[in-house]
Amino acid sequence: MSRFSPTETTVVFLLGGPGSGKGTQSTNLVRDYGFTHLSAGDLLRAEQVREGSQYGTLIKSYITEGKIVPMEITVALLSNAMAETLEENSKKGTAQKQGNGAGKARFLIDGFPRKLDQAVFFEETVCPSEFTLFLDCPEEVMEKRLLKRGETSGRDDDNAESIRKRFRTFVETSMPVVDAFEGQGKVIKVEATGSVEEVYERIQASFEARGVRPASF
Ligand code: UP5
Ligand code: MG
């Protein structure tokens, strides 16, 4: 049994290579579709610097090496963040206002699952996903974006060597997740080149084609 029921909670996974624009497009999707955005990478980076965390050093070394942090850590962070949001919603009585489904909370889970066993484990124990939005972007484009961001981001992994490792992990380990969901007919694939606005227009068009409606606030 999963912790959250898909009849009350909608989970959409947002996947794509490093620098494909997951975080950037999440901002648009939160604004227009009433999603609560949970970035697995952001949660891990916050845990890395949280005072008293026993995982700080481990997370830092995995992220710098572009490797995937053991899923127990990531799944616990995501699952707890979902529980917190649902609790806040029920306190505020806002759950009904989110999303288009009656009373459903909508989560956009960015950058997770990155490995097949994570996908299976999350769907079994936390919540089955409705679909996956996949941002498809060539490495040259992503590399350019990340090196530019690296000038100011301060992220441990925005350097040429870490970027190369992240790309390899994405191709070898994370693409099989997208392929598996694709096999289940649960992937919306969007070309992620061009401007932020162009990409978002493609996302909106493909959502509409699939019957995913904006939130009515
Ligand atoms: N930008 C975005 N869109 C643009 C566009 N259309 N045109 C021009 N510029 C555009 O964008 C990246 C940069 O490009 C930004 O400067 C943006 O302005 C610009 P962003 O939206 O940040 O892209 P995103 O896909 O979110 O890139 P990010 O670097 O966050 O992707 P990663 O998948 O590498 O990072 P994440 O934070 O998800 O994971 C980091 C690490 O954490 C992983 O490598 C791994 O070590 C670990 N991790 C796990 O172990 N498990 C998990 O489940 C998740 C993460
Ligand atoms: Mg991101």
Side-chain angles (χ1 to χ4, degrees), residues 94-209:
T94 52
Q96 278 70 17
K97 288 188 197 142
Q98 285 209 339
N100 59 350
K104 272 193 169 192
R106 272 177 161 181
F107 290 98
L108 184 64
I109 301 202
D110 160 355
F112 177 94
R114 288 176 116 89
K115 210 171 168 181
L116 267 178
D117 60 349
Q118 298 186 339
V120 173
F121 182 72
F122 184 93
E123 292 204 305
E124 274 177 12
T125 66
V126 183
C127 191
S129 66
E130 188 154 296
F131 64 88
T132 293
L133 172 60
F134 170 51
L135 297 182
D136 192 19
C137 198
E139 282 188 7
E140 312 83 75
V141 175
M142 298 193 289
E143 185 185 28
K144 225 169 128 192
R145 291 179 186 168
L146 291 175
L147 288 172
K148 178 148 184 276
R149 186 181 65 185
E151 292 166 11
T152 53
S153 71
R155 264 177 62 160
D156 294 323
D157 58 350
D158 276 350
N159 57 77
E161 196 189 335
S162 294
I163 291 170
R164 195 170 42 77
K165 292 176 177 170
R166 289 155 73 193
F167 284 168
R168 189 180 317 147
T169 302
F170 180 72
V171 171
E172 290 173 358
T173 313
S174 304
M175 260 321 279
V177 176
V178 179
D179 295 338
F181 283 132
E182 180 106 60
Q184 301 169 22
K186 293 211 302 185
V187 173
I188 296 181
K189 177 172 160 177
V190 170
E191 182 73 45
T193 55
S195 70
V196 173
E197 293 72 26
E198 282 166 336
V199 176
Y200 187 51
E201 277 168 22
R202 285 183 214 124
I203 293 174
Q204 287 173 297
S206 46
F207 271 24
E208 180 155 4

Side-chain angles (χ1 to χ4, degrees), residues 66-79:
K67 291 197 301 189
I68 296 163
V69 174
M71 72 167 156
E72 290 70 19
I73 300 175
T74 318
V75 172
L77 291 170
L78 285 169
S79 181

